[in-house]
Amino acid sequence: MQGGSIICRPLQALVLPHAHLRRHASCPVCCQARRSKSSAAGTVAPEAQLAAPPPAVAAQHASPAAAEPPDADELQDGQGGDFHAFFGHQWGPRWRRLFAALAAPTRHVALHNAFLLRPPAADDLPGAMPLQPGAGRHPALAAALQAAAAAAGGAGDGTDSSHSGSSASTTTVQALHWEPAEPAGPDAAFGYPPPPTDATAGLSTHYWLDPASLLPPLLLGVQPGQQVLDMCAAPGGKSLVLAHFLFAAQHAAAAAAGGGDDGASATQGSGSRGAQGDGARRGAVNGSAAADVGYSGQLVCNELDTGRRGRLLRVLKAYVPADVRQHMRVTPHDAARWWGRQEAESFDRVLLDAPCSSDRHVAQQAAERGTTAVPRAAWSAQRCRRISGDQARLLAAGVKALRPGGRLVYSTCSIAELENDKVIDRVLDKAGGSLAVISHTLQPLRASGPGCSASASASGSAADGKGAATGHDPAAAAMVASLEGMGAERTRHGWLLLPDATSPPCGPIYLAVLHKAASSDLRRVKVNKYAGQSRAGGGGGASGGQRGTAGQA
């Protein structure tokens, strides 16, 4: 931990290594194993044939006893068959181990607030220690933070960086971990203490979130001066990371010049089409005091749901200085309908953390009830298909909102291929050669044919021969190595981090990175017949999906 002069740190993380929000006697790994009724009757449920959780997973919980699979009658009476049959088919013998890891309580990290313009203090989280790449806890995550900081100082993937400023190259990244005390009893909680407020800045010191939630904004490659859209922004953790990369260095320069303005507030978008012209859009967030100290760039945080948007606004007010909030806009739009039509090709970077079926939340709810059964009211394959259609519409809108040469990151916390790679498939089919998947190299491709749909290989050429990487980027290569070091698994179009394969466990999260090579009128992505029941763009609901698990940004 460093001291002395004021240092601008655009991204610092404190990591909490223990998992439990609270301990449940019914946790699929912690609990005493139930004897299967079907085994007693001589009938073995399909999940009973699957592999037991590995010792590394069981050792992270209070009891070594492993969970039994769902009873045969639970699979037959509709109380768990759809969920377990669906994912048992997708994941095969791995499913039992993966389900146990999903049902375990979520691990959190604490993101240090870079706008404090100081390193984490000893009284923020007593006992916090620096994370180091290659050593200690979350070494690969620490390396990913460093790689993202290095990328922020470069020219990115083709978007204009002439207004980025030299401050981007001077930013540093530091991460810390903290060992909490053991809980007093089996039903007590590991402590996630509320963050204190810094007495000087008046801002909260850190923000709790799943460590995997840091990855989407890191992969976006945001640089100061860019126009950035967070399409489904609540509750605000990912938006806070984006704000760090966009504005922390500029805020430090403003503070050093004495030009900060504490009288501003986050701008609540009116939603009026007449006020959304390019000049009005930027003028609404650029106050004269901020302009005097050289701020550039804009972050737009969109959230359709009123309650979630209120939480987003509270997070921004608690963590982001007033002069920075002049360059942020919070909007209430239906993301699938607004951005591609009203503000097409307006953004250098787009983050779409899409509402999804939130499979970990479903598994954790089952654990809280003391069972492995998942009722169809909580999850069904039909609902998963409806959500997938909404996600495809959101992704198509995000691509339309992206400028040529820009980058989009699509993420979900679903483990269903239907909501992940297959959503990418649907949009690639409509995009022709204007869109390339660059998840596996994080470098743009030179499009040379329809679709250009395969991710680039590590050697720099597209897997299907329809494009070539534009050059070697050490920061991008370091980020890819960090993902692999965290235990991320490659999919056809992206990465998947699962709690049974990452150490320490995190996720689940799916990540795909897209590069828009040229303007294109995306042929219409079909709107499913349920779209009117769930306005896509952040709210969730019966057919709209849930936003993350407990503590995830």
Side-chain angles (χ1 to χ4, degrees):
M1 189 175 300
Q2 302 179 24
S5 60
I6 294 177
I7 301 174
C8 174
R9 301 178 178 276
L11 191 62
Q12 304 179 26
L14 309 169
V15 67
L16 181 66
H18 289 84
H20 292 69
L21 292 171
R22 50 185 171 140
R23 289 183 175 178
H24 303 289
S26 58
C27 173
V29 177
C30 296
C31 68
Q32 295 296 321
R34 294 185 295 119
R35 182 176 297 276
S36 172
K37 297 177 185 177
S38 59
S39 297
T43 302
V44 181
E47 285 77 10
Q49 303 172 17
L50 305 183
V57 174
Q60 294 160 1
H61 300 268
S63 169
E68 288 295 322
D71 293 337
D73 58 340
E74 291 175 336
L75 292 174
Q76 294 168 0
D77 65 13
Q79 294 302 303
D82 200 4
F83 183 80
H84 290 287
F86 183 92
F87 287 117
H89 175 75
Q90 177 177 328
W91 292 102
R94 182 179 179 181
W95 171 237
R96 180 179 176 182
R97 182 181 79 229
L98 177 55
F99 178 78
L102 292 170
T106 306
R107 292 175 177 266
H108 288 124
V109 299
L111 175 71
H112 177 71
N113 190 353
F115 292 115
L116 299 180
L117 304 183
R118 62 163 175 79
D123 55 355
D124 291 347
L125 276 178
M129 298 294 291
L131 278 180
Q132 298 293 337
R137 296 190 66 84
H138 284 295
L141 178 60
L145 297 174
Q146 286 192 354
D157 55 356
T159 57
D160 180 19
S161 62
S162 61
H163 53 301
S164 296
S166 61
S167 58
S169 63
T170 63
T171 56
T172 58
V173 175
Q174 183 184 7
L176 305 163
H177 76 267
W178 178 57
E179 295 284 352
E182 287 292 322
D187 296 324
F190 281 111
Y192 289 95
T197 299
D198 180 80
T200 301
L203 302 173
S204 297
T205 60
H206 56 271
Y207 183 92
W208 296 110
L209 75 173
D210 186 300
S213 294
L214 287 168
L215 295 174
L218 296 186
L219 294 177
L220 198 58
V222 169
Q223 301 167 31
Q226 291 181 329
Q227 301 290 312
V228 180
L229 170 64
D230 189 350
M231 290 183 68
C232 304
K238 296 180 181 69
S239 294
L240 182 58
V241 178
L242 295 174
H244 285 174
F245 279 111
L246 274 172
F247 301 122
Q250 298 181 64
H251 177 60
D261 185 342
D262 294 333
S265 61
T267 300
Q268 173 67 52
S270 66
S272 170
R273 295 189 182 187
Q276 299 300 327
D278 189 70
R281 180 170 67 248
R282 298 182 185 183
V285 295
N286 294 339
S288 59
D292 290 340
V293 297
Y295 277 98
S296 62
Q298 179 185 194
L299 175 60
V300 179
C301 305
N302 184 70
E303 180 57 50
L304 173 64
D305 182 80
T306 302
R308 291 174 59 83
R309 190 167 63 253
R311 182 180 175 186
L312 171 64
L313 286 164
R314 290 191 294 274
V315 166
L316 296 180
K317 184 176 181 180
Y319 288 88
V320 181
D323 60 316
V324 173
R325 296 200 304 270
Q326 292 186 66
H327 294 264
M328 301 177 68
R329 182 159 56 104
V330 177
T331 58
H333 301 313
D334 180 341
R337 299 177 183 273
W338 178 270
W339 300 108
R341 300 176 183 178
Q342 306 301 325
E343 301 192 42
E345 297 193 348
S346 296
F347 298 95
D348 303 301
R349 297 288 188 270
V350 174
L351 174 61
L352 173 55
D353 183 42
C356 67
S357 55
S358 194
D359 309 310
R360 182 168 198 173
H361 184 64
V362 172
Q364 288 174 333
Q365 286 182 323
E368 291 176 0
R369 295 191 301 269
T371 180
T372 55
V374 174
R376 294 187 192 275
W379 192 98
S380 70
Q382 181 184 23
R383 179 172 174 269
C384 186
R385 286 190 289 270
R386 291 198 299 263
I387 292 172
S388 177
D390 290 339
Q391 292 165 335
R393 295 193 306 123
L394 284 166
L395 181 55
V399 170
K400 292 176 183 178
L402 192 63
R403 291 170 176 166
R407 177 181 293 191
L408 181 148
V409 170
Y410 173 80
S411 64
T412 77
C413 57
S414 174
I415 63 171
E417 185 186 20
L418 188 61
E419 299 182 42
N420 297 332
D421 275 348
K422 290 189 176 180
V423 171
I424 305 296
D425 283 333
R426 293 178 63 174
V427 175
L428 288 174
D429 287 344
K430 304 293 183 181
S434 65
L435 196 63
V437 181
I438 61 169
S439 305
H440 298 158
T441 63
L442 305 181
Q443 298 182 74
L445 303 180
R446 292 188 294 269
S448 59
C452 201
S453 59
S455 298
S457 68
S459 64
S461 62
D464 63 353
K466 295 181 179 179
T470 57
H472 178 67
D473 182 349
M479 181 65 73
V480 170
S482 299
L483 287 168
E484 293 173 337
M486 290 182 69
E489 304 169 38
R490 294 185 183 225
T491 69
R492 288 186 296 112
H493 295 313
W495 300 90
L496 191 59
L497 284 87
L498 298 172
D500 70 324
T502 51
S503 181
C506 64
I509 196 164
Y510 171 81
L511 305 156
V513 186
L514 308 180
H515 171 75
K516 187 172 182 178
S519 297
S520 174
D521 292 330
L522 247 68
R523 296 187 295 274
R524 181 177 176 84
V525 175
K526 184 177 180 181
V527 178
N528 67 65
K529 65 181 180 180
Y530 301 97
Q533 301 176 18
S534 170
R535 291 166 57 83
S543 63
Q546 302 178 41
R547 293 301 313 280
T549 57
Q552 194 159 344

